[in-house]
Each structure stands twice: as structure tokens, then as C-alpha cells.
Amino acid sequence: GLLSAFRAGADDCLYLPVDEATVRQVFERVVEKRESQRPQRPLAKTVGFLSATGGCGGTVLACHFANELWRASSQSTLLADFDLAAGMVGFWMRSPNDYSIWDVVRAWQRLDATMWRGLVSAIQPHLDVLNAPTEVVADEALDPEQLSNVMQFARTHYEWVVADLGSSITPLSFRLLGHLSALFLVSTAELPILYQTKRILRKLVTLGYPRGRVRLVLNCVRKRQLQADEVAEALGWEVEADLPFAGAEIEEVQADGHLVSRKSELGKRIAQLTARFMSERLEEPEGLPVKFPGMAHQVKAL
């Protein structure tokens, strides 16, 4: 009987009486064996969007960037909302289901590709969205390592992952930085926000995060404010792109449930930013996130 079962494709066996620890060990062995037999594909190129403070437009930019990315590349793309506090990606993309990263974490021990497909929303032929939780989840309820696992799983199933990391640096978002091929830091030209932007840039440099991965984007630029060259000089950091203020347009498309037109000035600038980014040769992050000494203490110091 046992030999016949293995010939039929069984991976392991259990003997009575069965206890929880034994079942868990067998399950982990089966998962490990099947993962090792799965054809390896290159990990996804991963792009993070981090707002210097709330209201800088990082989520809006992440949504439009991901939408432009799959259109231009025709490659499988995931837009993942790791902003557990605000979680507006689902609203912008009109995600049709209520499952979230929180559900992925709770189902982690039995998560596979089939279950994953049920937890994400297929927005376009090559674009999936993974929502942030709709319910309030306390920071301590999620270990940063759990989010790192979700990111790592996603990178094995897509060619691109675009992650909304929320605003400022938190222990949760910080744990994901080492997964990224590039980090877009989104700021506006207001002096208090530029002050916070400079603090974040300084902290990243101090902690040894690769400078070449950080792209500064100046958003909602008005004519009478500081311009890109002035901001670059003040911060000591090149401005990757400056995007025009489009408040009225954004309010209008929000009401209609759409993204901004690709023919609008903002749409054109985002398309240019995406095309320029796709033409670059990106360095592959070293798989697991970078771990910085004293990370939790350093992040709280921000």
C-alpha cells in the first residue's frame, strides 16, 4: 500500500497517531521539494514608490507608473500596496475584490500560485493589484519579515513588481528596500516637505543604501515654486523628473474612476519617466533585503 502510494505520486507519509508538529514538518518538506523542482525564472525587477510625507502623490504616481509599465512592456506586472496606513491603491485602480496583503500573510503556510491568483485583482491583461487591508491592522500585528516574504513570493511570479511603500520610512517599508531595483522618492516643492526629503536621503546614505537606486521625483510643481534645478542644488541630489500640478484633472478622473489621460501633460511626463526607466540597465538586488545594523532604532530616529 505505501509503495503504491509513492508510485502514484505521494511525496511523504504520516503515521498514526498524528500530531500538529509532525503534520507541519511533512508539509514543509513537501513544499520545499516542490519549490526545488519548479523551473526557476528570473526574479522580477522591483520598483518602490516612497512619499516624503503624506500628500506628496506617491500612490498616484505608483498607480500610473505600473499602468504605463505593463502597456509599454506587455510583461506581467504586479502593483502591490504595502501602505498599511492609507492603502489607496485599491481605490485608484478600482480593485474588484477585498482580499489584501493581510490575507496573503494569514494564508502563508498554504500559499501557492493558485491561491495567489484568488487574492490579487486582475485589472488588465498583464496587470494585477494586491490591495492593502481595508480593516485597520496595527503595526505590531505584521512582522516586517512577513511583508518581505510576500515581496519575495511576488518576485518569483511576475516580471515587474511596483510597490507603494507609503510615506516616510517605517520599519515595515524599510525591510523591503533591499528587494528594490529602484526607489522613487516622491516630494513636492514646499519647504517643509523638502526638509523631510533631505532627511530621508541623508538617512539612506548614512545607512549605506546604494545611492544609484534612489530616484528623486518632484511632484505637483507650480510655476511660482522652486524648480527642479533649484531643488537639486538645495538637496545635493539629481531630480529624476518634475511633474506638473494637475489637481483639477486628478479630481475629475477620481470621480470617474479612471487614471489620468496618457495624452495629458501629466500622463505624457509619466510615460516619459517610465520609458526612460525601462531603457536603463538595472542592477539586480541581492535577493533578500539588505539588513542595516540598528535598523529599528535608526528608523525611529527619523
Side-chain angles (χ1 to χ4, degrees), residues 143-157:
D143 184 337
E145 191 66 26
Q146 294 173 315
L147 293 189
S148 177
N149 290 338
V150 174
M151 176 73 87
Q152 188 71 7
F153 184 92
R155 292 190 67 206
T156 64
H157 289 77

Side-chain angles (χ1 to χ4, degrees), residues 118-130:
L119 296 176
V120 298
S121 299
I123 302 298
Q124 299 289 351
H126 300 289
L127 177 62
D128 290 345
V129 167
L130 179 60

Side-chain angles (χ1 to χ4, degrees), residues 137-199:
V137 178
D139 286 347
E140 57 270 17
L142 277 175
D143 184 337
E145 191 66 26
Q146 294 173 315
L147 293 189
S148 177
N149 290 338
V150 174
M151 176 73 87
Q152 188 71 7
F153 184 92
R155 292 190 67 206
T156 64
H157 289 77
Y158 295 88
E159 292 166 287
W160 291 95
V161 174
V162 178
D164 180 7
L165 302 179
S167 60
S168 194
I169 297 179
T170 67
L172 292 179
S173 61
F174 203 97
R175 187 67 181 92
L176 302 176
L177 293 182
H179 283 291
L180 304 181
S181 305
L183 171 67
F184 285 93
L185 177 58
V186 184
S187 177
T188 64
E190 285 84 5
L191 290 178
I193 296 177
L194 290 175
Y195 172 75
Q196 175 68 354
T197 300
K198 189 168 186 176
R199 293 179 69 216

Side-chain angles (χ1 to χ4, degrees), residues 201 211 214-217 228 231-233 235-241:
L201 291 171
R211 185 183 176 105
V214 183
R215 321 295 173 86
L216 178 59
V217 174
V231 170
E233 182 178 357
L235 299 184
W237 208 281
E238 181 182 354
V239 175
E240 180 80 7

